[in-house]
Amino acid sequence: MPTLEQEFWGVAPAGRVTRYTLTNRAGNSVRILNYGGIVQSIRVDGAEMVLGCDALAGYLDTNPSYGAIVGRYANRIANARFSLNGTTYTLVANENGNQLHGGPEGFNKKLWTGEPFTAESAVGVRLHYRSPNGEMGYPGKLDVTVTYSWNDANELRIDYTATTDKDTVVNLTNHTYFNIGTADTILDQLLQLHADRYTPVDERQIPTGELRPVAGTPFDFRTAKPVGRDIAADHPQVRAANGFDHNFVISAYDGSLRECAVVTDPATGRRLRCLTTEPGVQLFTTNFPTGKYHMRGDTPTPTHGGICLETQHFPDAPNQENFVTPLLKVGETFNSTTVYRFE
Ligand code: BGC
């Protein structure tokens, strides 16, 4: 049987933090915190697959959302503002007048209630958070459940659901920084993205609204290529971000669970597949050094130390008519699933 352990892992401003260790039949484990819903560790065949912190202090300090659930709205909303049903809502801004990742007190900073479970071939934890009406500026009391399950096939499945008591917008993701290899950077790892187009951004990293073909640009990952090959290309979008920090439009999106990305480490043969029901995926290549913390000891995470595959609705969709709507109406349930599979 897969096993489940839980332990006290320190005290956050909102209360005591529990760490859940989910171990599958193969002996591989995933560690989840009820603080921020953080994926703190994924160990496969004895090797660490993610970046993170060894103690809670690292997560309480400034960090770029390591492993966390991001909400209510993952990525940016321009001018921290959107209109819905004739009302303009002003959000709490936290980056150049925009809102990034749900604001300064987003879901990544919340204490969630955890309900662990074991099943025949999987083990997991169901996290719940109730976001009050008006939190970070959003309308509606939002009930969010994020279910992590880790099965014997080394698949971490994340199911998100949300309901509201007032029409609102929702965009939930997980912000894990993967490094499936043994080198300090992900530059030599091969990335394939099933995306023919991406959403270019302006100087404040807000999508221009265009869905631009990747063909003939550094954004063309349709055939696997090393992440580092075009990461320093002389292309305005790449230069401005110091790498990749862009939303890709998943090809043939229809809301069903389909593969969007494959990362391969040629040195070890390890592979990570990402499947999602979402229309987009933010490729973020850790374009600046992220501070003091690194999962594999006390060395700081260097630039390009990890790769994020943040499955999502498109950035700024509340203000962009051509993007898949992030609207959640009263009486409806938001559903989203993403799977990270280690091979
Ligand atoms: C954003 C980046 C940001 C990073 C860390 C990504 O989703 O697109 O611009 O630096 O998250 O918060």
Side-chain angles (χ1 to χ4, degrees):
M1 278 291 275
T3 62
L4 195 148
E5 278 169 58
Q6 62 185 76
E7 68 195 297
F8 168 70
W9 214 62
V11 182
R16 291 166 65 87
V17 175
T18 300
R19 179 167 77 168
Y20 300 91
T21 301
L22 320 174
T23 306
N24 67 14
R25 270 200 185 82
N28 298 322
S29 62
V30 170
R31 291 181 138 159
I32 309 281
L33 309 181
N34 66 342
Y35 176 76
I38 289 169
V39 175
Q40 191 246 339
S41 166
I42 302 178
R43 290 190 82 85
V44 179
D45 294 338
E48 183 57 60
M49 299 287 125
V50 308
L51 306 186
C53 312
D54 292 330
L56 184 63
Y59 294 107
L60 300 180
D61 200 347
T62 323
N63 80 72
S65 312
Y66 273 140
I69 300 297
V70 181
R72 280 191 200 193
Y73 202 93
N75 213 279
R76 293 174 178 83
I77 295 183
N79 304 312
R81 201 187 303 138
F82 69 94
S83 296
L84 182 57
N85 300 337
T87 303
T88 297
Y89 293 95
T90 302
L91 307 173
V92 183
N94 58 343
E95 191 198 64
N96 304 321
N98 301 320
Q99 191 188 76
L100 172 65
H101 294 333
E105 294 294 323
F107 291 178
N108 57 317
K109 301 265 174 68
K110 302 298 178 186
L111 202 60
W112 298 58
T113 53
E115 194 193 316
F117 60 88
T118 39
E120 179 53 31
S121 58
V123 61
V125 59
R126 202 169 289 116
L127 299 174
H128 177 255
Y129 175 66
R130 176 170 291 170
S131 174
N133 178 41
E135 190 175 45
M136 292 293 108
Y138 292 95
K141 180 177 78 186
L142 193 76
D143 270 292
V144 190
T145 301
V146 176
T147 306
Y148 285 107
S149 58
W150 176 235
N151 70 16
D152 292 334
N154 298 326
E155 292 177 331
L156 177 64
R157 180 184 171 110
I158 315 176
D159 291 299
Y160 306 83
T161 67
T163 54
T164 183
D165 67 354
K166 229 178 167 182
D167 292 358
T168 191
V169 295
V170 185
N171 187 24
L172 302 174
T173 194
N174 176 277
H175 210 305
T176 293
Y177 290 70
F178 296 98
N179 183 347
I180 63 169
T182 48
D184 284 346
T185 75
I186 45 79
L187 295 172
D188 293 336
Q189 293 175 22
L190 307 177
L191 174 67
Q192 183 182 23
L193 291 175
H194 304 307
D196 299 330
R197 292 172 299 172
Y198 75 107
T199 52
V201 292
D202 66 15
E203 57 293 334
R204 290 196 307 157
Q205 286 186 272
I206 299 298
T208 59
E210 189 190 345
L211 306 184
R212 194 180 287 175
V214 297
T217 77
F219 294 87
D220 193 348
F221 285 95
R222 292 173 299 173
T223 303
K225 67 173 176 179
V227 177
R229 182 176 291 168
D230 295 322
I231 206 166
D234 190 16
H235 181 286
Q237 290 286 322
V238 179
R239 261 199 326 262
N242 194 34
F244 298 101
D245 185 3
H246 293 80
N247 172 66
F248 285 76
V249 179
I250 297 170
S251 300
Y253 158 76
D254 62 1
S256 67
L257 189 65
R258 52 173 70 237
E259 185 179 280
C260 68
V262 187
V263 181
T264 307
D265 179 47
T268 58
R270 295 176 194 151
R271 181 164 287 156
L272 164 65
R273 285 183 201 276
C274 177
L275 294 81
T276 190
T277 59
E278 286 293 309
V281 59
Q282 184 83 12
L283 170 64
F284 179 55
T285 49
T286 321
N287 299 334
F288 40 83
T290 61
K292 344 175 207 173
Y293 305 104
H294 193 298
M295 196 67 198
R296 300 161 189 172
D298 288 333
T299 48
T301 299
T303 299
H304 309 315
I307 186 168
C308 300
L309 297 166
E310 305 156 52
T311 55
Q312 61 182 359
H313 278 54
F314 300 175
D316 198 38
N319 295 309
Q320 307 252 1
E321 284 188 353
N322 297 333
F323 292 175
V324 176
T325 180
L327 179 63
L328 178 66
K329 292 189 182 147
V330 176
E332 293 177 351
T333 301
F334 171 88
N335 278 299
S336 172
T337 297
T338 292
V339 173
Y340 296 105
R341 180 194 298 154
F342 298 86
E343 297 174 356

